[in-house]
Amino acid sequence: MLRVYFTSEDLARVRVAPGPDHLWEIANSVQTLQRRDGERVFGTWRHWARPRLSGSRALLAGLLPPRGYSPDFLTPTSGDRTSLQATLDVLMSTPRPRLRTDLSQLAASPRLPGWVHSLAAGDTDALRRLGAALHTYQLEAIAPYWPRVHAHVDADRAVRLYTLLDRGTEGLLAGLGPQFRWRPPVLEVAYPVDQELHLRGRGLVLQPSFFCWPAPTTLADDALPPVLVYPIHHAADWAGAAPGEHPPHGTGPLGPLLGHTRAGLLRAALTGCSTVEAARLLRVTHPAVSQHANVLRAAGLITTVRTGGRSFHLATTEGRALLAAEGRPESP
């Protein structure tokens, strides 16, 4: 079990990360790809990704085993988080003492690649090799699915922010899911090992992760800026068709996407709404909202998160683009 100790100052400094973190998604997906559980959630993605991966997977698997310790420096907490290249730049500038400390904890693993000894010494070529492997893996395994990843994380974040508004910080912590138990001033988290995290006034970043599975995770070094990465809820059909696969013209899910009610639901989902809120706004029944949401979701225009017996709908990147195009003036 992981025990996170809060002070009153920490409770005032809890925040939900603004979106998915590139390096956490890479690290978690490399680990998830090596596991056999979670097939219902990740089976389609695994079958799609495995034959498309080059040597990057084998290189990263040694550093990111499916269970146990993984080096903290692979998921830095500082610097610009807005792009993959920005996060890679931070990783590539990791101080040698940090490399040596993190990789020494991994040294007992029999799967550790031989080149990691050069990496631990801060060898420039080894760091470049790692950076290239991370970049290649992201392009091959994650980039084609990134809009779906982003949409699901955005939806989870919206749910957390609604909970924060309704129930405050302690309600947010208490409502993170069955793997969490809030016993003030301690957050208990289901975890594969016993670990304690004392926040000491630094606050906590809650990082929703698409590929985190099956348990939440955090950094091993208590001295690093505190972050708690947790698995989001996945719709059973999140994978859908593989990237690049589209239904024949005229038979796709956009065909029935007509009418004021669906358009109104899509507009409401732009800022996020529950089924109850949408029914009240659109003056229709809850089953009607669910039916229209099914069509929008199948078209990839919204995503739905179910938590605490409530369904919460949020427009995807494609849905927001459609709404933006609706408001553009026609070309002469």
Side-chain angles (χ1 to χ4, degrees):
M1 180 176 290
L2 169 68
R3 292 177 175 85
V4 185
Y5 293 85
F6 288 77
T7 66
S8 57
E9 186 177 356
D10 293 313
L11 288 173
R13 300 184 67 184
V14 172
R15 68 182 183 90
V16 182
D21 184 283
H22 289 279
L23 290 181
W24 273 115
E25 295 298 349
I26 290 174
N28 291 333
S29 68
V30 170
Q31 293 168 322
T32 297
L33 200 60
Q34 298 174 74
R35 301 177 65 99
R36 295 187 177 181
D37 55 350
E39 191 68 9
R40 182 189 67 83
V41 177
F42 295 107
T44 299
W45 171 74
R46 285 170 177 157
H47 294 310
W48 174 86
R50 281 171 179 154
R52 289 167 171 78
L53 291 174
S54 58
S56 61
R57 175 191 172 191
L59 189 146
L60 296 175
L63 290 173
L64 294 160
R67 294 171 180 83
Y69 173 77
S70 296
D72 288 340
F73 81 91
L74 291 174
T75 50
T77 55
S78 61
D80 186 355
R81 323 296 301 161
T82 58
S83 69
L84 174 62
Q85 188 56 55
T87 55
L88 286 177
D89 289 343
V90 174
L91 186 151
M92 298 289 285
S93 62
T94 303
R96 290 187 180 185
R98 168 59 60 186
L99 293 172
R100 188 163 50 249
T101 298
D102 287 3
L103 293 172
S104 65
Q105 296 188 52
L106 200 66
S109 171
R111 302 177 61 189
L112 197 63
W115 65 273
V116 171
H117 298 291
S118 299
L119 182 62
D123 180 77
T124 302
D125 288 338
L127 274 169
R128 286 175 180 162
R129 184 179 181 188
L130 172 61
L134 290 165
H135 191 268
T136 299
Y137 176 88
Q138 199 272 347
L139 288 176
E140 293 175 341
I142 299 180
Y145 277 101
W146 190 250
R148 305 181 202 187
V149 172
H150 214 303
H152 280 69
V153 170
D154 284 347
D156 181 271
R157 184 173 187 268
V159 168
R160 305 305 169 195
L161 295 181
Y162 260 65
T163 303
L164 180 63
L165 289 172
D166 290 342
R167 300 167 55 196
T169 303
E170 295 198 55
L172 169 65
L173 296 173
L176 285 172
Q179 296 164 309
F180 299 85
R181 183 165 51 184
W182 174 238
R183 290 185 167 182
V186 180
L187 179 64
E188 297 179 342
V189 187
Y191 212 63
V193 297
D194 286 329
Q195 183 175 335
E196 293 186 347
L197 174 57
H198 294 266
L199 299 180
R200 300 189 295 272
R202 296 173 294 169
L204 179 68
V205 175
L206 296 172
Q207 176 65 65
S209 171
F210 190 89
F211 286 105
C212 181
W213 184 269
T217 186
T218 189
L219 300 171
D221 190 345
D222 183 73
L224 293 169
V227 59
L228 183 58
V229 183
Y230 64 91
I232 65 170
H233 171 82
H234 293 83
D237 59 347
W238 75 264
E245 295 179 3
H246 302 284
H249 179 70
T251 64
L254 285 174
L257 191 59
L258 299 171
H260 296 294
T261 302
R262 282 181 199 149
L265 178 55
L266 181 58
R267 293 188 192 100
L270 185 62
T271 55
C273 65
S274 68
T275 297
V276 173
E277 291 167 337
R280 187 184 308 120
L281 175 68
L282 301 173
R283 299 180 180 179
V284 297
T285 64
H286 295 181
V289 171
S290 298
Q291 182 180 11
H292 291 305
N294 288 339
V295 176
L296 292 168
R297 193 164 49 248
L301 298 178
I302 68 168
T303 186
T304 300
V305 174
R306 295 174 178 86
T307 181
R310 182 172 69 170
S311 294
F312 191 86
H313 313 289
L314 193 76
T316 63
T317 302
E318 290 81 0
R320 292 193 295 269
L322 186 62
L323 289 171
E326 179 188 41
R328 271 188 220 121
E330 294 184 11
S331 301

